[in-house]
Amino acid sequence: MIRPNAATPGLTLGGQGAVEDYWALLKPRVMSLVIFTAFCGLVLAPGHIHPWTAFVSLLCIAVGAGASGALNMWYDADIDAQMSRTSKRPIPRGAIEPGEALYFGLVLSVGSVAMLGLAANWMAAAFLAFTIFFYAVIYTAWLKRSTPQNIVIGGAAGAFPPMIAWTAVTGSIDLASVSLFLIIFMWTPPHFWALALFKMGDYETAGVPMLPNVAGADSTRNQIWWYSLAMAPVAALPVLFGISGIVYAAAAAVLTGLFIKHAWTVYRIRDGKLGERGPKVLFGYSIVYLFAMFGATLVDRAALALWQAFA
Amino acid sequence: MTTGATRVQEIETYTPTPEEAARRRKRSIAIAVILLALMLLVFVTTIVRLGGGPAGA
């Protein structure tokens, strides 16, 4: 067995991490959201897909998302080490060599794209490849450290999975699938800025230009409010495009109303204990919101199927 | 100074700690499981694709 030590300088072959460390490189929590939203894209897309192909497509999208996570952790290892939220990740902890994470991410990227192309279609595969590139290069390597608008544009990477799944079914990129993209895309800024408000110190230490550090907490609270308002009409798009019905519409109205209520609290109450609590509540609710919104599209589709079966 | 021969000897005679050995064992099992799953994945996908139609429909 080879391992780096004083007697064998330069031998840093890696490969000594635990299975859990490699799993952590895939950002499993982010992956769960990707799998769920992609599953919704598969269900909502018009047309038929073989259940096995659907399963493989989901797996490939999940592995592709995990691969981008590994590439992100490789590139960001220096700033991850400085932030309390990320300092326990495998590379800053020393459990995995940076080069290992890079090759791990590259191999999974190529593997997931190739498998999606072979199992579903090459349009979906190309879309997955573009998404990995967008997250690893455009967001991680370029936008994240250069502009406070990083997550506004970078959020697109996290919003593509339901569109990729849709493309796996139809073989094309349809306007209706853009409505699913837009829900996640418009949700991302208020979600991350709420987090950034109570993790300002972390981002400051690491030199990441998040909006609160660059424009100030007050400006960030204003932006959260306006983005949340802009998100509201987007929530109605699946109904307008005809991919969801009344059940989704009712759920989306309640869920988005609550989101706006929490955003209003962040906007109005800026000081004291309540002022500190607002962004934390909004951040927690925003995670529930996205799961519930996409969950509502599934419930809506199931309700429609039941209605058609008994009507 | 460490010569090439002694360096190779050091590498070959290194004994992993029990913790390292346990980690290596788990890694080996995980790799075996992943390779088997990959074989199954490609095999079943091929069968489904041979069924014809868009996306194996």
Side-chain angles (χ1 to χ4, degrees), chain B residues 1-44:
Chain B
M1 189 180 154
T2 309
T3 65
T6 54
R7 188 167 151 175
V8 167
Q9 199 177 13
E10 280 167 5
I11 292 168
E12 285 174 348
T13 55
Y14 175 73
T15 310
T17 64
E19 192 201 336
E20 284 172 335
R23 273 212 305 264
R24 182 166 59 177
R25 185 178 155 75
K26 276 181 79 176
R27 276 199 309 271
S28 303
I29 292 170
I31 291 168
V33 169
I34 289 167
L35 285 177
L36 280 172
L38 198 60
M39 277 168 53
L40 187 74
L41 202 71
V42 173
F43 174 71
V44 179

Side-chain angles (χ1 to χ4, degrees), chain A residues 188-267:
Chain A
T188 307
H191 166 76
F192 271 107
W193 286 335
L195 170 74
L197 273 175
F198 61 89
K199 289 284 182 187
M200 267 175 86
D202 259 12
Y203 289 112
E204 184 79 53
T205 310
V208 179
M210 289 299 279
L211 195 62
N213 308 96
V214 178
D218 277 343
S219 174
T220 306
R221 286 172 189 266
N222 297 345
Q223 295 286 332
I224 285 175
W225 169 243
W226 293 116
Y227 266 89
S228 301
L229 280 187
M231 198 187 73
V234 167
L237 286 179
V239 181
L240 296 177
F241 279 112
I243 56 175
S244 291
I246 189 77
V247 175
Y248 167 82
V254 173
L255 291 165
T256 308
L258 279 171
F259 196 104
I260 290 175
K261 176 185 166 288
H262 290 308
W264 177 248
T265 307
V266 172
Y267 179 71

Side-chain angles (χ1 to χ4, degrees), chain A residues 1-3 5 7-9 11 15-20 22 48-50 52-53 55-56 59 115 118-120 168-169, chain B residues 2 7 10-12 14 16-17 20-21 23-24 26-28 30 38 40-42 44-46 48-49 54-57:
Chain A
M1 178 167 178
I2 303 170
R3 68 167 192 176
N5 58 29
T8 55
L11 276 173
Q16 308 307 309
V19 173
E20 293 80 4
Y22 293 95
H48 175 72
I49 186 169
H50 190 285
W52 178 261
T53 310
F55 165 74
V56 177
L59 186 70
M115 195 65 212
L118 292 169
V169 178
Chain B
T2 309
R7 188 167 151 175
E10 280 167 5
I11 292 168
E12 285 174 348
Y14 175 73
T17 64
E20 284 172 335
R23 273 212 305 264
R24 182 166 59 177
K26 276 181 79 176
R27 276 199 309 271
S28 303
L38 198 60
L40 187 74
L41 202 71
V42 173
V44 179
T45 301
T46 306
V48 168
R49 292 294 286 179

Side-chain angles (χ1 to χ4, degrees), chain A residues 39-75:
Chain A
F39 178 71
C40 294
L42 279 177
V43 172
L44 297 176
H48 175 72
I49 186 169
H50 190 285
W52 178 261
T53 310
F55 165 74
V56 177
S57 300
L58 268 186
L59 186 70
C60 290
I61 294 169
V63 172
S68 357
L71 294 172
N72 169 277
M73 285 200 204
W74 163 72
Y75 193 85

